[in-house]
Amino acid sequence: MSIIDIDKWQEIFYALKKNKLRTFFTAFGVFWGIFMLIIMLGSGRGLSNGVSQGMGDMATNAMFMWTQQTTVPYKGFPRGRRYNFNNDDTQALIDNIPEIEYIAPRLQVFSAGENGNNVVRGERTAAFTIQGDYPDFNLIDPVNIHQGRFINDIDIKQKRKNVVIGTRVFEEMFEPDEDPIGEYIRIQGVYFRVVGVFSSKKNDQQAERENSQIFMPFTTMQQTYNFGNIVGWYSITAKEGYKVSQVLEKAIDIMRERHSISPADERAVGSFNLEEEFRKMTTLFTGIDGLIWIVGIGTLLAGVIGVSNIMLIVVKERTKEIGIQRALGAAPFSIKSQIVIESVFLTTIAGYVGLALGVGVLELINNILIQTNASTDMFNNPEVDFNKAISALVILVIAGAVAGLIPAQRAVQIKPIDALRDE
Amino acid sequence: MAQLLVIQFLITTKDNRIDMISLNNINKTYFTGSNSLHVLKGVDLNIEKGELVSIMGSSGSGKSTLLNIIGMLDNYDSGEFHLNGEFIQKMSEKKAAYYRNKFIGFVFQSFNLISFKNAMENVALPLYYQKVSRKKRNIKAMEYLEKMGLAEWAEHLPSELSGGQKQRLAIARALISEPKVILADEPTGALDSATSMEVMDLFHEINDMGITILIVTHERDIAAKTDRIVKLKDGIVDSIISNGERKKWLADQVMA
Ligand SMILES: Nc1ncnc2c1ncn2[C@@H]1O[C@H](COP(=O)(O)OP(=O)(O)OP(=O)(O)O)[C@@H](O)[C@H]1O
Ligand SMILES: [Mg+2]
């Protein structure tokens, strides 16, 4: 029983062609099942892609911590007090929390002054956000370096007046064919040398915002813009094997201690646990995926049951023919395999068309999204990965075989003579 | 060549006296709902190798039933049935299929050709179940079509053939696996008398090759062309009429 068995295929095509409309509707059930499964899987992927690409390459084991007003009076201080993190806090965090992988104290200067423009180069002026950062920041929330480099340790130590500019900044402040490296721009009255150009790894407005940023050494910013030893906020990642929530808890305790904040004050130290949020999101998407498979397999199952039903009818119609074949010495296995192969063939062809069309439609949607720039944080790059497509196909073949099993059994259950007598 | 075969067979049968078909007190009852119909009530019948035997009897006397049991298309309730010396009882469908394919060729009143296969493919079908390659079986099918004078119809579908042609096609199909027994249930029932005689001539030729043939028929002149006529009545063998001593005469010729 080889696959390239003309007689077998002759019989299959004869059976399928004999009642074209019926074959079509049967095939359509399976086609629709797999088509919907693919579309849904692709959309689910689009959702998760949208969200995860919105995060770029940001470390998912990260946390952020910033200052807010106190909400509980403590040690003689009234509530509503403001305070700042400082360089000593940074050292205290490093010293007391060995679970910290990277720690990036950060500062930010927004555009200020009349009409908001804070960056000048020759005739050109524009408004950009200025970030004061440590090299570690590029490990926590990385950007693509196009030219030059990111902030380095020497910049920090020597408080150099170097900056790394986003692509939007480059476009605004330079001619397209200019080499910005080594050039100077004036930021709020102070000249800085450009040492690198970066682009965001995120998409959409987030990328737009990042590309309009300028990174300068954290220490330079503290000194140049009179921050003293103030730290704006922290980005911190936990070492592998440690939970971010543990690090966060410790960090908050240390800050409370160091800034005379009541242990009962839940609001004074603001924080965000990205790991936790990411976990919730992953769970959500796993849930969505699971739901899609359940619904998709259900739809597919309906299609397959349709195939099984039709095969039963086909067997009934072919009773006499099967009787003749058995009178001529066809073994039961030969008859059964014929029915099963027919079922698998119908299911697989219909399923394959559904698969191809589903992937095609997803591709089309993706193209439209790209062309119209419509991809968002919510929906981006809908696709089905190869493995899922293959598993869908495998499921189809198995389903086809299962659908053919009962009809095949039915075909050989009846005595040959009764089959022959059938009119 | 054909005569040589017959001689050889006669010598062996004389020594061993093995019957090709041996039926001993065969019983068969059909059950339909609450009704039961005792069709065969103890049939005893022996058919020697190389015999050409006809079965007659009124409609409903159980001729087809008997033939189907011999062809292993149906099973019997009690008694003993030997085919070529082998005891045939309830067996797996796989084994039955093997016997049908190897030992038996069927010819039916309604031809039972496969409508979507052409003449050649129809003839070749039994070899398909023996897993003979398509090329080989088609070559052999063409040989048999030629013998039946149907070579030029090889590519035609059964629906494009006359009744006589269809029956010759069916006979070719029954022969291709070189069976020991041909079972024909009213093979001329759907043919005019001239075509019927042609078919009978064909059966004689096949019989001369040494193949045992059992024909169920209603027609006297068909039965008259066989060695023996078995008459079924009320579920038993009523009488057996010998139709001349053709075989014996031939054997005497050889001995002398
Ligand atoms: N599958 C069956 N179920 C029930 N009864 C059956 C079945 N097959 C045959 N019979 C009955 O058994 C009896 C013998 O049938 P059978 O076909 O052997 O007769 P026959 O001698 O071949 O008749 P005919 O000359 O009309 O072909 C009939 O009465 C028939 O109705
Ligand atoms: Mg009959």
Coordinates of all heavy atoms in Angstrom, one line a residue, chain B residues 3-81:
Chain B
Q3 N -4.9 -30.2 -22.8 CA -5.1 -31.7 -22.7 C -4.2 -32.3 -21.7 O -4.6 -33.1 -20.9 CB -5.0 -32.3 -24.0 CG -6.4 -32.4 -24.7 CD -6.3 -33.2 -26.0 OE1 -5.3 -33.4 -26.6 NE2 -7.5 -33.6 -26.5
L4 N -2.9 -31.9 -21.8 CA -1.9 -32.4 -20.9 C -2.3 -32.2 -19.4 O -2.2 -33.1 -18.6 CB -0.6 -31.7 -21.2 CG 0.5 -32.6 -21.9 CD1 1.6 -31.8 -22.3 CD2 0.9 -33.8 -20.9
L5 N -2.8 -31.0 -19.2 CA -3.2 -30.6 -17.8 C -4.3 -31.5 -17.4 O -4.3 -32.0 -16.2 CB -3.8 -29.1 -17.9 CG -2.7 -28.1 -17.5 CD1 -3.3 -26.7 -17.7 CD2 -2.3 -28.2 -16.0
V6 N -5.3 -31.8 -18.3 CA -6.4 -32.6 -17.9 C -5.9 -34.0 -17.6 O -6.3 -34.6 -16.6 CB -7.4 -32.7 -19.1 CG1 -8.5 -33.7 -18.8 CG2 -8.0 -31.3 -19.4
I7 N -5.0 -34.5 -18.4 CA -4.5 -35.8 -18.2 C -3.8 -35.9 -16.8 O -4.1 -36.8 -16.0 CB -3.4 -36.2 -19.2 CG1 -4.1 -36.3 -20.6 CG2 -2.7 -37.5 -18.9 CD1 -3.2 -36.1 -21.8
Q8 N -3.0 -34.9 -16.5 CA -2.3 -34.9 -15.2 C -3.3 -34.9 -14.1 O -3.1 -35.7 -13.1 CB -1.4 -33.6 -15.2 CG -0.2 -33.8 -14.3 CD 0.7 -32.6 -14.5 OE1 0.3 -31.6 -14.9 NE2 1.9 -32.8 -14.1
F9 N -4.3 -34.1 -14.2 CA -5.3 -34.0 -13.2 C -6.0 -35.3 -13.0 O -6.3 -35.7 -11.8 CB -6.2 -32.8 -13.5 CG -7.7 -33.1 -13.4 CD1 -8.3 -33.0 -12.1 CD2 -8.4 -33.4 -14.5 CE1 -9.6 -33.3 -12.0 CE2 -9.8 -33.7 -14.3 CZ -10.3 -33.6 -13.1
L10 N -6.3 -35.9 -14.1 CA -7.1 -37.2 -14.0 C -6.3 -38.3 -13.3 O -6.8 -39.0 -12.4 CB -7.4 -37.7 -15.4 CG -8.7 -37.0 -16.0 CD1 -8.9 -37.4 -17.4 CD2 -9.9 -37.4 -15.2
I11 N -5.0 -38.3 -13.5 CA -4.1 -39.3 -12.9 C -4.1 -39.0 -11.4 O -4.3 -39.9 -10.6 CB -2.7 -39.2 -13.5 CG1 -2.8 -39.7 -14.9 CG2 -1.8 -40.1 -12.6 CD1 -1.5 -39.4 -15.7
T12 N -3.9 -37.7 -11.0 CA -3.8 -37.4 -9.6 C -5.2 -37.7 -8.9 O -5.2 -38.2 -7.8 CB -3.4 -36.0 -9.3 OG1 -4.2 -35.1 -10.1 CG2 -2.0 -35.7 -9.6
T13 N -6.3 -37.3 -9.5 CA -7.6 -37.5 -8.8 C -7.8 -39.0 -8.7 O -8.4 -39.4 -7.7 CB -8.7 -36.9 -9.6 OG1 -8.5 -37.1 -11.0 CG2 -8.8 -35.4 -9.3
K14 N -7.4 -39.8 -9.6 CA -7.7 -41.2 -9.5 C -7.0 -41.8 -8.3 O -7.5 -42.6 -7.6 CB -7.2 -41.9 -10.8 CG -8.3 -42.1 -11.8 CD -8.1 -43.3 -12.7 CE -9.4 -43.6 -13.4 NZ -9.1 -43.8 -14.9
D15 N -5.8 -41.3 -8.0 CA -5.0 -41.8 -6.9 C -5.6 -41.3 -5.6 O -5.8 -42.1 -4.7 CB -3.5 -41.4 -7.0 CG -2.9 -42.1 -8.2 OD1 -3.5 -43.1 -8.7 OD2 -1.8 -41.6 -8.7
N16 N -5.8 -40.0 -5.5 CA -6.1 -39.4 -4.2 C -7.6 -39.3 -4.0 O -8.1 -39.2 -2.8 CB -5.5 -38.0 -4.0 CG -4.0 -38.1 -4.3 OD1 -3.4 -39.2 -4.1 ND2 -3.4 -37.0 -4.8
R17 N -8.4 -39.2 -5.0 CA -9.8 -39.0 -4.9 C -10.1 -37.8 -4.0 O -11.0 -37.8 -3.2 CB -10.5 -40.2 -4.3 CG -10.3 -41.5 -5.0 CD -10.9 -41.6 -6.4 NE -12.3 -41.1 -6.5 CZ -12.8 -40.7 -7.7 NH1 -12.1 -40.8 -8.8 NH2 -14.0 -40.3 -7.7
I18 N -9.3 -36.7 -4.2 CA -9.7 -35.5 -3.5 C -10.7 -34.7 -4.3 O -10.5 -34.4 -5.4 CB -8.4 -34.6 -3.3 CG1 -7.4 -35.3 -2.3 CG2 -8.8 -33.2 -2.7 CD1 -6.2 -34.5 -2.1
D19 N -11.8 -34.4 -3.6 CA -12.8 -33.6 -4.3 C -12.4 -32.1 -4.2 O -11.8 -31.7 -3.2 CB -14.2 -33.7 -3.6 CG -14.7 -35.1 -3.9 OD1 -14.5 -35.6 -5.0 OD2 -15.3 -35.7 -3.0
M20 N -12.7 -31.3 -5.2 CA -12.4 -29.9 -5.2 C -13.4 -29.3 -4.2 O -13.0 -28.5 -3.3 CB -12.6 -29.3 -6.6 CG -12.3 -27.8 -6.6 SD -10.7 -27.4 -5.9 CE -9.7 -27.6 -7.2
I21 N -14.7 -29.7 -4.3 CA -15.6 -29.2 -3.3 C -16.3 -30.3 -2.7 O -16.8 -31.3 -3.4 CB -16.7 -28.3 -4.1 CG1 -16.0 -27.0 -4.7 CG2 -17.8 -27.9 -3.1 CD1 -16.9 -26.4 -5.7
S22 N -16.4 -30.3 -1.4 CA -17.0 -31.4 -0.7 C -18.0 -30.8 0.4 O -17.5 -30.1 1.3 CB -16.0 -32.3 0.0 OG -16.5 -33.0 1.1
L23 N -19.3 -31.0 0.2 CA -20.3 -30.5 1.2 C -20.9 -31.6 1.9 O -21.3 -32.6 1.3 CB -21.3 -29.6 0.4 CG -20.8 -28.4 -0.4 CD1 -21.9 -27.9 -1.3 CD2 -20.3 -27.3 0.6
N24 N -21.0 -31.5 3.2 CA -21.5 -32.6 4.0 C -22.5 -32.0 5.0 O -22.2 -31.4 5.9 CB -20.3 -33.2 4.7 CG -20.6 -34.6 5.2 OD1 -21.8 -35.0 5.3 ND2 -19.6 -35.4 5.5
N25 N -23.8 -32.3 4.7 CA -24.9 -32.0 5.6 C -24.8 -30.5 6.0 O -24.9 -30.1 7.2 CB -24.7 -32.8 6.9 CG -26.0 -32.7 7.7 OD1 -27.1 -32.4 7.2 ND2 -25.9 -33.0 9.0
I26 N -24.7 -29.6 4.9 CA -24.7 -28.2 5.1 C -26.0 -27.6 5.5 O -27.0 -27.9 4.8 CB -24.1 -27.5 3.9 CG1 -22.7 -27.9 3.6 CG2 -24.2 -26.0 4.0 CD1 -21.7 -27.4 4.7
N27 N -26.1 -26.8 6.6 CA -27.3 -26.2 7.0 C -27.1 -24.7 7.0 O -26.1 -24.2 7.4 CB -27.8 -26.6 8.3 CG -28.5 -28.0 8.2 OD1 -29.7 -28.0 8.1 ND2 -27.7 -29.1 8.3
K28 N -28.2 -24.0 6.6 CA -28.1 -22.5 6.6 C -29.5 -22.0 6.9 O -30.5 -22.3 6.2 CB -27.6 -22.0 5.3 CG -27.6 -20.4 5.2 CD -26.5 -19.8 6.0 CE -26.6 -18.3 5.9 NZ -25.5 -17.6 6.7
T29 N -29.6 -21.1 7.9 CA -30.9 -20.5 8.2 C -30.7 -19.0 8.2 O -29.7 -18.5 8.7 CB -31.4 -20.9 9.6 OG1 -31.4 -22.3 9.7 CG2 -32.7 -20.3 9.9
Y30 N -31.6 -18.3 7.5 CA -31.6 -16.8 7.6 C -32.6 -16.3 8.6 O -33.7 -16.8 8.8 CB -32.1 -16.3 6.2 CG -31.0 -16.3 5.1 CD1 -31.3 -17.1 4.0 CD2 -29.8 -15.7 5.3 CE1 -30.3 -17.1 3.0 CE2 -28.9 -15.7 4.3 CZ -29.1 -16.5 3.1 OH -28.2 -16.5 2.2
F31 N -32.1 -15.4 9.4 CA -33.0 -14.7 10.4 C -33.3 -13.3 9.9 O -32.3 -12.5 9.7 CB -32.3 -14.7 11.7 CG -32.0 -16.1 12.3 CD1 -30.8 -16.8 12.0 CD2 -33.0 -16.8 13.0 CE1 -30.6 -18.0 12.5 CE2 -32.8 -18.1 13.4 CZ -31.6 -18.7 13.2
T32 N -34.5 -13.0 9.8 CA -34.9 -11.6 9.5 C -35.9 -11.2 10.6 O -37.0 -11.6 10.5 CB -35.5 -11.5 8.1 OG1 -36.3 -12.6 7.9 CG2 -34.4 -11.4 7.0
G33 N -35.5 -10.3 11.5 CA -36.3 -9.9 12.6 C -36.7 -11.1 13.4 O -35.8 -11.9 13.9
S34 N -38.0 -11.4 13.5 CA -38.4 -12.5 14.4 C -38.6 -13.8 13.5 O -38.8 -14.9 14.0 CB -39.7 -12.2 15.1 OG -40.7 -11.7 14.1
N35 N -38.5 -13.6 12.2 CA -38.7 -14.7 11.3 C -37.4 -15.5 11.1 O -36.3 -14.8 11.0 CB -39.3 -14.3 9.9 CG -40.6 -13.7 10.1 OD1 -41.3 -13.9 11.1 ND2 -41.0 -12.9 9.1
S36 N -37.5 -16.7 10.9 CA -36.3 -17.5 10.5 C -36.7 -18.4 9.3 O -37.8 -18.8 9.2 CB -35.7 -18.3 11.6 OG -36.6 -19.4 11.9
L37 N -35.7 -18.5 8.3 CA -36.0 -19.3 7.1 C -34.8 -20.3 7.0 O -33.7 -19.9 6.7 CB -36.0 -18.3 5.9 CG -36.4 -18.9 4.6 CD1 -37.8 -19.5 4.7 CD2 -36.3 -17.9 3.5
H38 N -35.2 -21.5 7.1 CA -34.2 -22.6 7.0 C -34.1 -22.9 5.5 O -34.9 -23.6 4.9 CB -34.7 -23.9 7.8 CG -33.6 -24.8 8.0 ND1 -33.8 -26.0 8.8 CD2 -32.3 -24.9 7.7 CE1 -32.7 -26.6 8.9 NE2 -31.8 -26.0 8.2
V39 N -33.0 -22.4 4.9 CA -32.9 -22.5 3.4 C -32.2 -23.7 3.0 O -32.7 -24.5 2.1 CB -32.1 -21.2 2.9 CG1 -32.0 -21.3 1.4 CG2 -32.8 -19.9 3.3
L40 N -31.1 -24.0 3.6 CA -30.3 -25.3 3.3 C -30.5 -26.2 4.5 O -30.2 -25.9 5.6 CB -28.9 -25.0 3.1 CG -28.6 -24.0 1.9 CD1 -27.0 -23.8 1.8 CD2 -29.2 -24.4 0.6
K41 N -31.1 -27.4 4.2 CA -31.4 -28.4 5.2 C -30.6 -29.6 5.2 O -31.1 -30.7 5.2 CB -32.9 -28.7 5.2 CG -33.8 -27.5 5.2 CD -35.3 -27.9 4.9 CE -36.2 -26.6 5.0 NZ -37.5 -26.9 4.4
G42 N -29.3 -29.5 5.0 CA -28.4 -30.7 5.0 C -28.1 -31.0 3.5 O -28.5 -32.0 3.0
V43 N -27.3 -30.2 2.9 CA -26.9 -30.4 1.5 C -25.6 -31.3 1.5 O -24.7 -31.0 2.2 CB -26.6 -29.1 0.8 CG1 -26.0 -29.3 -0.5 CG2 -27.9 -28.3 0.7
D44 N -25.7 -32.4 0.8 CA -24.5 -33.2 0.6 C -24.2 -33.1 -0.9 O -25.0 -33.4 -1.8 CB -24.8 -34.7 0.9 CG -25.1 -34.8 2.4 OD1 -24.2 -34.4 3.2 OD2 -26.1 -35.4 2.8
L45 N -22.9 -32.8 -1.2 CA -22.5 -32.6 -2.6 C -21.0 -32.7 -2.7 O -20.3 -32.1 -1.9 CB -23.0 -31.3 -3.2 CG -22.7 -31.0 -4.6 CD1 -23.4 -32.0 -5.5 CD2 -23.2 -29.6 -5.0
N46 N -20.5 -33.5 -3.7 CA -19.1 -33.6 -3.9 C -18.8 -33.2 -5.4 O -19.5 -33.8 -6.3 CB -18.6 -35.0 -3.6 CG -18.6 -35.3 -2.2 OD1 -18.0 -34.6 -1.3 ND2 -19.4 -36.3 -1.8
I47 N -17.9 -32.4 -5.6 CA -17.5 -32.0 -7.0 C -16.1 -32.2 -7.2 O -15.2 -31.7 -6.4 CB -17.9 -30.5 -7.3 CG1 -19.5 -30.4 -7.2 CG2 -17.4 -30.1 -8.6 CD1 -20.0 -29.0 -7.2
E48 N -15.7 -33.0 -8.2 CA -14.3 -33.4 -8.4 C -13.6 -32.2 -9.1 O -14.2 -31.4 -9.7 CB -14.2 -34.6 -9.3 CG -14.6 -35.9 -8.5 CD -14.6 -37.1 -9.5 OE1 -13.8 -37.0 -10.5 OE2 -15.3 -38.0 -9.2
K49 N -12.3 -32.3 -8.9 CA -11.5 -31.3 -9.7 C -11.7 -31.4 -11.2 O -11.8 -32.5 -11.7 CB -10.0 -31.7 -9.4 CG -9.4 -31.1 -8.2 CD -7.9 -31.3 -8.0 CE -7.4 -30.8 -6.7 NZ -6.0 -31.2 -6.5
G50 N -11.9 -30.3 -11.8 CA -12.0 -30.3 -13.3 C -13.4 -30.5 -13.7 O -13.7 -30.6 -14.9
E51 N -14.4 -30.7 -12.8 CA -15.8 -30.9 -13.3 C -16.4 -29.6 -13.7 O -16.1 -28.5 -13.2 CB -16.6 -31.5 -12.1 CG -16.7 -33.0 -12.2 CD -17.8 -33.5 -11.3 OE1 -17.6 -33.4 -10.0 OE2 -18.7 -34.1 -11.8
L52 N -17.4 -29.7 -14.5 CA -18.3 -28.6 -14.9 C -19.7 -28.9 -14.5 O -20.3 -29.8 -15.1 CB -18.2 -28.3 -16.4 CG -19.1 -27.3 -17.0 CD1 -19.0 -25.9 -16.3 CD2 -18.9 -27.1 -18.5
V53 N -20.1 -28.3 -13.4 CA -21.4 -28.7 -12.8 C -22.4 -27.6 -12.8 O -22.0 -26.4 -12.6 CB -21.2 -29.2 -11.4 CG1 -22.5 -29.6 -10.7 CG2 -20.2 -30.4 -11.4
S54 N -23.6 -27.9 -13.1 CA -24.7 -26.9 -13.0 C -25.6 -27.2 -11.8 O -25.8 -28.3 -11.4 CB -25.5 -26.8 -14.3 OG -26.0 -28.0 -14.6
I55 N -26.1 -26.1 -11.2 CA -27.1 -26.3 -10.1 C -28.4 -25.7 -10.6 O -28.5 -24.5 -11.1 CB -26.6 -25.5 -8.9 CG1 -25.3 -26.1 -8.4 CG2 -27.7 -25.7 -7.8 CD1 -24.7 -25.4 -7.2
M56 N -29.5 -26.4 -10.5 CA -30.8 -26.0 -10.9 C -31.7 -26.1 -9.7 O -31.4 -26.7 -8.7 CB -31.3 -26.8 -12.1 CG -30.5 -26.6 -13.3 SD -31.3 -27.2 -14.8 CE -32.5 -25.9 -15.2
G57 N -32.9 -25.5 -9.9 CA -33.9 -25.5 -8.8 C -34.8 -24.3 -8.9 O -34.4 -23.3 -9.6
S58 N -35.9 -24.4 -8.3 CA -36.9 -23.3 -8.4 C -36.4 -22.1 -7.7 O -35.4 -22.2 -6.9 CB -38.2 -23.7 -7.9 OG -38.1 -24.2 -6.6
S59 N -37.0 -21.0 -8.0 CA -36.5 -19.7 -7.4 C -36.7 -19.8 -5.9 O -37.8 -20.3 -5.4 CB -37.4 -18.6 -8.0 OG -36.9 -17.4 -7.5
G60 N -35.8 -19.4 -5.1 CA -35.8 -19.5 -3.7 C -35.4 -20.8 -3.1 O -35.5 -21.0 -1.9
S61 N -34.9 -21.7 -3.9 CA -34.6 -23.0 -3.4 C -33.2 -23.0 -2.7 O -32.8 -24.0 -2.1 CB -34.6 -24.1 -4.6 OG -33.7 -23.6 -5.6
G62 N -32.5 -21.9 -2.8 CA -31.2 -21.8 -2.1 C -30.0 -22.0 -2.9 O -28.9 -22.2 -2.4
K63 N -30.1 -21.9 -4.3 CA -29.0 -22.0 -5.2 C -27.9 -21.0 -4.9 O -26.7 -21.3 -4.7 CB -29.4 -21.9 -6.6 CG -30.5 -22.9 -7.0 CD -30.9 -22.8 -8.5 CE -31.5 -21.5 -8.8 NZ -32.9 -21.2 -8.2
S64 N -28.3 -19.8 -4.9 CA -27.4 -18.7 -4.6 C -26.7 -18.8 -3.3 O -25.5 -18.6 -3.1 CB -28.0 -17.3 -4.8 OG -28.5 -17.2 -6.1
T65 N -27.6 -19.1 -2.3 CA -27.1 -19.3 -0.9 C -26.0 -20.3 -0.9 O -24.9 -20.1 -0.3 CB -28.2 -19.7 0.0 OG1 -29.3 -18.8 -0.1 CG2 -27.8 -19.9 1.4
L66 N -26.2 -21.4 -1.5 CA -25.2 -22.5 -1.6 C -23.9 -22.0 -2.2 O -22.8 -22.2 -1.7 CB -25.7 -23.7 -2.3 CG -24.9 -25.0 -2.3 CD1 -24.7 -25.5 -0.8 CD2 -25.5 -26.1 -3.2
L67 N -24.1 -21.3 -3.4 CA -22.9 -20.9 -4.1 C -22.1 -19.9 -3.3 O -20.9 -19.9 -3.3 CB -23.4 -20.2 -5.4 CG -22.3 -20.2 -6.6 CD1 -22.1 -21.6 -7.1 CD2 -22.8 -19.3 -7.7
N68 N -22.8 -19.0 -2.6 CA -22.1 -18.0 -1.8 C -21.4 -18.6 -0.6 O -20.3 -18.1 -0.2 CB -23.1 -17.0 -1.2 CG -23.7 -16.1 -2.4 OD1 -23.0 -15.9 -3.4 ND2 -24.9 -15.7 -2.2
I69 N -21.9 -19.7 -0.1 CA -21.2 -20.4 1.0 C -19.9 -21.0 0.4 O -18.8 -20.9 1.0 CB -22.1 -21.5 1.6 CG1 -23.2 -20.8 2.5 CG2 -21.3 -22.4 2.5 CD1 -24.2 -21.7 3.0
I70 N -20.0 -21.6 -0.7 CA -18.8 -22.2 -1.4 C -17.8 -21.1 -1.7 O -16.6 -21.3 -1.5 CB -19.2 -23.0 -2.7 CG1 -20.1 -24.2 -2.3 CG2 -18.0 -23.4 -3.4 CD1 -20.8 -24.8 -3.5
G71 N -18.3 -19.9 -2.1 CA -17.4 -18.8 -2.4 C -16.9 -18.1 -1.2 O -16.2 -17.1 -1.3
M72 N -17.3 -18.5 0.0 CA -16.9 -17.9 1.2 C -17.3 -16.4 1.3 O -16.7 -15.6 2.0 CB -15.4 -18.0 1.4 CG -14.9 -19.3 2.0 SD -13.2 -19.5 2.1 CE -12.8 -20.1 0.4
L73 N -18.4 -16.1 0.6 CA -19.0 -14.8 0.8 C -20.0 -14.8 2.0 O -20.4 -13.8 2.4 CB -19.7 -14.4 -0.5 CG -18.9 -14.1 -1.7 CD1 -19.7 -13.9 -2.9 CD2 -18.0 -12.9 -1.5
D74 N -20.4 -16.0 2.4 CA -21.3 -16.2 3.4 C -20.9 -17.4 4.2 O -20.1 -18.2 3.8 CB -22.7 -16.4 2.8 CG -23.8 -16.0 3.8 OD1 -23.5 -15.7 5.0 OD2 -25.0 -15.9 3.3
N75 N -21.4 -17.5 5.5 CA -21.0 -18.7 6.2 C -22.2 -19.6 6.4 O -23.3 -19.2 6.3 CB -20.3 -18.3 7.6 CG -21.0 -17.1 8.2 OD1 -22.3 -17.0 8.1 ND2 -20.3 -16.2 8.8
Y76 N -21.9 -20.8 6.8 CA -23.0 -21.8 7.0 C -23.1 -22.1 8.5 O -22.1 -21.8 9.2 CB -22.7 -23.1 6.2 CG -21.4 -23.8 6.5 CD1 -21.3 -24.8 7.4 CD2 -20.2 -23.3 5.9 CE1 -20.1 -25.5 7.6 CE2 -19.0 -23.9 6.1 CZ -18.9 -25.0 7.0 OH -17.7 -25.6 7.3
D77 N -24.2 -22.7 8.9 CA -24.5 -22.8 10.3 C -23.9 -24.1 10.8 O -23.3 -24.2 11.8 CB -26.0 -22.8 10.6 CG -26.6 -21.5 10.2 OD1 -25.9 -20.5 10.2 OD2 -27.8 -21.4 9.8
S78 N -24.1 -25.2 10.1 CA -23.6 -26.5 10.5 C -23.3 -27.4 9.3 O -23.7 -27.1 8.2 CB -24.6 -27.2 11.5 OG -25.7 -27.6 10.7
G79 N -22.6 -28.5 9.6 CA -22.1 -29.3 8.5 C -20.6 -29.1 8.2 O -19.9 -28.5 9.1
E80 N -20.1 -29.8 7.2 CA -18.7 -29.6 6.9 C -18.5 -29.3 5.4 O -19.1 -29.8 4.5 CB -18.0 -31.0 7.1 CG -17.6 -31.2 8.6 CD -16.8 -32.4 8.8 OE1 -16.2 -33.0 7.8 OE2 -16.7 -32.9 9.9
F81 N -17.6 -28.3 5.2 CA -17.3 -27.9 3.9 C -15.8 -27.9 3.7 O -15.1 -27.3 4.4 CB -17.9 -26.4 3.7 CG -17.4 -25.7 2.5 CD1 -17.0 -26.4 1.3 CD2 -17.2 -24.3 2.5 CE1 -16.5 -25.7 0.2 CE2 -16.7 -23.6 1.4 CZ -16.3 -24.3 0.3

